[in-house]
Amino acid sequence: MKPRVRFAPSPTGYLHIGGARTALWNWLYARRLGGTFVLRIEDTDQERSTPESVKAILDGLNWLGIDWDEGPGKGGPYPPYFQMEKLKRYHDVAEQLIAEGKAYRDYTTEEETAQLRRDFAASKGLTDKDDLRKAGFKYSSPWREKTEKLEKPFVVRFKLQPKGERIGFDDLVLGRLEKPDDDLDDFVLLRTDGIPLYNFSCVVDDHDMAITHVGRGQEHINSTYSQVALYLALGWQQPVFAHFPLILGQNNEKLSKRKHPEADVMAHQRAGVLPHALLNFICRLGWSHGNDELFTRAQLVEFFDFADVGKTNGVWNAQKLLSINEHWIKTTPPTEIAATLVPYLKALEVDAAADAKLESAVKAFAPRAKTLVDMAQSIKPYYARGVTLDAAAAAKHLDATGKDMLTRARAKLAALPEWTAPVIDPIVDVIATETGAKKGAIAQPLRVAATGGTTSPGIGDTLALLGRDETMLRIDAALGS
RNA sequence: GGCCCCAUCAUCUAGUGGCCCAGGAUACGGCCCUUUCAAGGCUGUUACGCGGGUUCGAAUCCCGCUGGGGUCACCA
């Protein structure tokens, strides 16, 4: 049977790194097995959900190349894919549960439960919510055993009926997970305004959408027990669960939007990371395929399996991401990199087309750039007219002997029949032989004249990139300095 | 605090009882290459949290401790 998996983000901000990895792993699983990847928007938190966030999440997934078979913009056989569009369905399921005595209407107001908390706190001499938890505060509804229907607002609560047994499930990553069933409490299914809460809508939707495997972060383990209780009460078949280890920030806490800027997927685009590099990196964070580190997209699809996901949380390692980015910048065809690079150059006010010149520039700088931002910055001077000489570099390399070498080089360059790196490069050797000078004594003055500084790609590549006219212009300017 | 999950280098990880006085990658150091800077090649330092078992033999299995993380809403 082909698996049906899903990614179900709540649109309360940008696409989070953890979410992206969850999406990726589910997507990979579906792709490898020829299954279906569903995108469902869990927008029931009306306080925080926004259309902009929906767009941000879709944009993030698109940038990473994670496409969905069913969901927003695609439709599918189990609509709607936005939870707020199926309120009636949740209501019906809740009513069914009430009718069967498996849920009840709780007319206690929010203010009353808050008062209960305050009373409890006062009796124990406590103050905040955290203290209450530690002291074991537990809400118990007076409406639990009642069935009458009043003309008052109510929430629908699930009526847990613990048997003193253990409740649990077989997790694809963690193995058998269990806890005592009396550890669960009567969680809310429907709020006063009729909008469902996560534990409820999630179960209804996963069932309605015929989801076979639920892969999500370990932070959901405890809610899974509640959801299992719901599946049992509803008599629905449970999906297979797979709980993924968390991605931690440098401070060892779960990567969060507030504390960790790197949690934003698109921040990496802005930083000049290739989407595939990010994909490669996050996929390998918590999953492995032997000692392999670098994977093409096809290999990821070929190798990925929930069974190879690890159990331990992983710490975000920006340097490793950069090194992986470096690798893909180096190995992706220059044409592709050039096209991707155009907007980064634009941001630096360089209007470059993805043409032959830019491709050569990419070839020259690919082994030298960690990010596309780096690369754009390095390439920018090659699109300028003239260059400002770095004072220290000029002082060191453009003294009398330096200028003498430069003059010799200029004469030879001017006589060149062709302006390409292989033709330009030997000039350094020729002058070295003629004068007995070291290559560096020739190449460095040339480099300073051409680039203003002491570092650049090989001198042939550098001058070829600049073009004959621009090179001559800069040499003359340096000679006249 | 209750409950739940986890535990190999600084970090990501390989490892499913002998092939491991623990391998790869990143980072860090050295050497080589070299007209600069990179890249590349070679190489070095660094880990099985602790204590008990089981076994001829444990990083691998069991127990305890310790440590880390998650979760306890009319958020998801």
Side-chain angles (χ1 to χ4, degrees):
Chain A
M1 199 175 87
K2 308 270 191 199
R4 289 180 54 85
V5 297
R6 63 9 172 234
F7 175 52
S10 71
T12 56
Y14 55 71
L15 179 61
H16 183 271
I17 281 289
R21 194 193 58 179
T22 296
L24 173 65
W25 284 354
N26 278 291
W27 180 85
L28 251 15
Y29 190 72
R31 289 291 169 270
R32 180 169 68 87
L33 270 16
T36 305
F37 177 65
V38 178
L39 177 60
R40 176 173 81 225
I41 306 297
E42 305 209 330
D43 53 357
T44 56
D45 182 350
Q46 290 293 285
E47 305 265 303
R48 299 192 301 149
S49 295
T50 64
E52 294 74 39
S53 298
V54 174
K55 185 178 182 304
I57 289 166
L58 266 39
D59 287 349
L61 291 172
N62 282 327
W63 181 63
L64 289 170
I66 298 173
D67 59 334
W68 51 100
D69 305 307
E70 296 172 22
K74 287 253 175 155
Y78 304 100
Y81 293 89
F82 286 80
Q83 295 189 321
M84 285 306 284
E85 292 172 14
K86 55 183 292 188
L87 260 24
K88 170 83 166 53
R89 168 66 176 154
Y90 306 124
H91 177 84
D92 290 347
V93 178
E95 282 300 324
Q96 178 199 328
L97 250 13
I98 293 171
E100 293 171 356
K102 293 168 178 169
Y104 58 95
R105 297 186 182 83
D106 183 349
Y107 295 93
T108 312
T109 65
E110 268 189 271
E111 175 46 36
E112 284 165 348
T113 50
Q115 187 58 47
L116 251 30
R117 280 201 170 76
R118 282 194 294 272
D119 292 347
F120 180 85
S123 74
K124 301 263 181 178
L126 302 173
T127 49
D128 67 32
K129 203 170 171 179
D130 204 45
D131 289 340
L132 262 49
R133 279 177 195 158
K134 289 177 183 170
F137 173 81
K138 211 163 183 185
Y139 172 74
S140 173
S141 173
W143 299 91
R144 194 180 142 89
E145 302 304 334
K146 298 178 182 166
T147 51
E148 65 257 51
K149 199 166 177 181
L150 305 173
E151 289 306 310
K152 284 172 63 180
F154 59 88
V155 298
V156 177
R157 276 183 194 276
F158 185 54
K159 187 174 178 180
L160 272 143
Q161 286 155 318
K163 302 193 189 79
E165 296 169 354
R166 291 176 75 76
I167 188 167
F169 54 96
D170 293 303
D171 191 278
L172 235 35
V173 174
L174 267 6
R176 181 72 191 171
L177 259 30
E178 286 181 344
K179 67 152 59 172
D181 62 359
D182 55 11
D183 195 63
L184 269 32
D185 40 30
D186 290 359
F187 57 96
V188 174
L189 265 25
L190 248 35
R191 313 197 314 180
T192 309
D193 58 12
I195 295 174
L197 250 39
Y198 168 72
N199 272 338
F200 184 46
S201 54
C202 180
V203 165
V204 172
D205 282 357
D206 284 337
H207 172 260
D208 287 357
M209 294 177 179
I211 298 302
T212 58
H213 300 258
V214 171
R216 69 206 344 175
Q218 281 185 11
E219 73 267 27
H220 290 289
I221 288 179
N222 284 295
S223 55
T224 302
Y225 295 108
S226 299
Q227 296 184 12
V228 166
L230 253 181
Y231 278 104
L232 259 20
L234 257 2
W236 290 347
Q237 196 192 352
Q238 293 170 38
V240 175
F241 294 101
H243 287 93
F244 307 148
L246 270 17
I247 299 176
L248 273 24
Q250 250 86 25
N251 64 352
N252 247 279
E253 285 174 28
K254 184 171 74 159
L255 207 59
S256 74
K257 298 182 180 183
R258 262 205 97 75
K259 293 185 180 172
H260 311 278
E262 64 269 40
D264 181 358
V265 166
M266 295 314 268
H268 298 285
Q269 181 198 37
R270 292 190 289 277
V273 173
L274 288 169
H276 180 66
L278 186 60
L279 221 51
N280 189 156
F281 175 70
I282 61 177
C283 192
R284 184 54 225 259
L285 194 51
W287 167 82
S288 64
H289 182 262
N291 278 332
D292 298 348
E293 298 279 349
L294 301 160
F295 304 86
T296 61
R297 182 169 276 259
Q299 287 172 322
L300 249 21
V301 171
E302 183 186 346
F303 299 145
F304 183 81
D305 194 330
F306 289 147
D308 298 316
V309 168
K311 300 178 178 185
T312 61
N313 296 163
V315 175
W316 184 263
N317 183 343
Q319 281 179 319
K320 188 145 186 177
L321 168 61
L322 250 29
S323 89
I324 287 175
N325 196 41
E326 203 180 331
H327 173 266
W328 289 109
I329 284 178
K330 226 155 33 197
T331 52
T332 303
T335 353
E336 268 178 58
I337 299 288
T340 313
L341 195 63
V342 170
Y344 291 91
L345 283 163
K346 184 107 187 161
L348 297 177
E349 291 164 334
V350 176
D351 263 310
D355 56 10
K357 173 170 177 173
L358 188 53
E359 273 180 49
S360 315
V362 166
K363 277 181 201 153
F365 285 99
R368 297 172 167 77
K370 280 209 181 318
T371 69
L372 296 174
V373 170
D374 274 2
M375 192 185 267
Q377 272 160 357
S378 304
I379 288 176
K380 180 174 181 174
Y382 291 83
Y383 278 82
R385 193 76 179 144
V387 71
T388 307
L389 299 180
D390 174 73
K396 184 170 181 191
H397 297 287
L398 293 179
D399 54 5
T401 48
K403 284 186 177 176
D404 175 45
M405 293 300 169
L406 199 50
T407 307
R408 289 168 187 271
R410 190 196 188 287
K412 300 221 185 293
L413 287 169
L416 248 29
E418 198 186 319
W419 197 259
T420 60
V423 175
I424 296 168
D425 263 327
I427 281 184
V428 175
D429 296 286
V430 172
I431 298 175
T433 313
E434 278 177 14
T435 63
K438 286 187 175 177
K439 289 179 182 181
I442 303 147
Q444 283 307 77
L446 207 42
R447 179 167 279 115
V448 173
T451 68
T454 53
T455 67
S456 84
I459 206 71
D461 285 329
T462 301
L463 302 191
L465 208 49
L466 242 24
R468 190 191 289 261
D469 292 348
E470 182 63 22
T471 299
M472 290 308 175
L473 179 100
R474 292 188 184 187
I475 290 177
D476 290 340
L479 248 17
S481 66

